[in-house]
Amino acid sequence: MFEAAIQAFAETFSPPLRKILLKSLGLALLLLVVLGTVLQSIVTHLVTLPYPFDTALAIVAALGLVAGAIYLVPPITSLVASLFFDDIADQVERRNFPDEAPGKALPIATSAMLSLRFFGLVLLVNLLALLLLIIPGVNLIAFFAANAYLLGREYFELAAMRFRPVAEARALRKQNAVRVFLYGMVIACLVFVPILNLITPVFATAFMVRMHKRIAAERGPRT
């Protein structure tokens, strides 16, 4: 697992994936700014204070969002991943598994529905984790565990759905729930690193493509 993670990290910055990485970074930063601005507006409008306290509230809210930006990265990167996943996975599969047929992208409608649903779930979970800031320690544990599960689940299922129906991909993930959670922990560790966590979509895809291939190989050829 760790060897695959190191290989995936190195491949993230390789020439075949560099253009996709730059696109995903740009989009992630744009979405992060938009989402942060929206949340700041919600906070400042929910609480009405006279001048100059309203200005102070806006500044505090802005600083709080900057400090809590790490909690916004998982939902943002999960949405970005849905847009670039198949392009990244195709490059990784062709480069590392040239003797095997590459997977097939999901239909656009199915992919969009799954992505939006998962984006909403990850956003909700991370906003709840952000609210737990008042409980030191518990907040970080909840944030790490929740994202290890959610990100592991999303990226594994996306990798599996390139080769099997949605229901079968989910069943495969459930059969290997502990392993997928451990894979998710590797991804969640990257999410904890400011700035570097913006490469999550590319790294996590390259990593989980390898992990799905490993589990699929253990199961033997499909019939």
Side-chain angles (χ1 to χ4, degrees):
M1 179 176 72
F2 295 110
E3 181 182 358
I6 293 172
Q7 293 172 349
F9 186 83
E11 190 171 24
T12 297
F13 302 94
S14 65
L17 296 182
R18 198 169 293 158
K19 288 184 179 179
I20 303 175
L21 175 62
L22 292 175
K23 290 178 183 178
S24 68
L25 282 173
L27 183 57
L29 285 171
L30 176 62
L31 292 175
L32 194 59
V33 171
V34 171
L35 184 57
T37 302
V38 170
L39 291 176
Q40 182 189 11
S41 299
I42 292 174
V43 171
T44 53
H45 281 83
L46 285 178
V47 181
T48 304
L49 294 175
Y51 180 83
F53 299 106
D54 58 342
T55 302
L57 175 62
I59 294 173
V60 170
L63 292 175
L65 286 172
V66 170
I70 189 173
Y71 293 89
L72 300 178
V73 169
I76 291 298
T77 55
S78 72
L79 185 59
V80 172
S82 67
L83 299 176
F84 296 104
F85 186 92
D86 287 305
D87 291 335
I88 301 167
D90 189 65
Q91 291 285 348
V92 174
E93 290 166 2
R94 292 181 184 278
R95 183 180 183 184
N96 298 281
F97 308 94
D99 297 330
E100 302 178 25
K104 296 181 179 179
L106 284 174
I108 294 177
T110 302
S111 177
M113 180 186 67
L114 292 172
S115 300
L116 289 174
R117 185 175 66 179
F118 201 81
F119 168 74
L121 177 61
V122 177
L123 178 61
L124 176 62
V125 168
N126 281 277
L127 288 178
L128 291 175
L130 184 59
L131 293 176
L132 289 175
L133 277 173
I134 58 175
I135 309 177
V138 173
N139 166 263
L140 292 178
I141 294 173
F143 172 76
F144 184 81
N147 281 286
Y149 170 75
L150 291 172
L151 295 174
R153 167 183 163 181
E154 179 188 26
Y155 283 97
F156 183 84
E157 289 187 358
L158 286 174
M161 286 175 192
R162 287 175 54 80
F163 294 91
R164 58 195 79 235
V166 174
E168 186 179 335
R170 288 175 175 166
L172 182 62
R173 190 261 306 169
K174 291 177 181 178
Q175 292 165 8
N176 296 273
V178 174
R179 294 175 66 178
V180 173
F181 178 74
L182 292 176
Y183 303 156
M185 289 179 67
V186 174
I187 301 173
C189 286
L190 183 65
V191 171
F192 263 95
V193 184
I195 306 301
L196 195 60
N197 52 16
L198 294 174
I199 73 168
T200 299
V202 180
F203 165 76
T205 301
F207 174 60
M208 204 59 86
V209 164
R210 288 172 164 82
M211 295 298 95
H212 168 257
K213 285 284 188 178
R214 181 174 300 179
I215 289 178
E218 293 172 359
R219 288 168 55 89
R222 296 178 65 208
T223 57

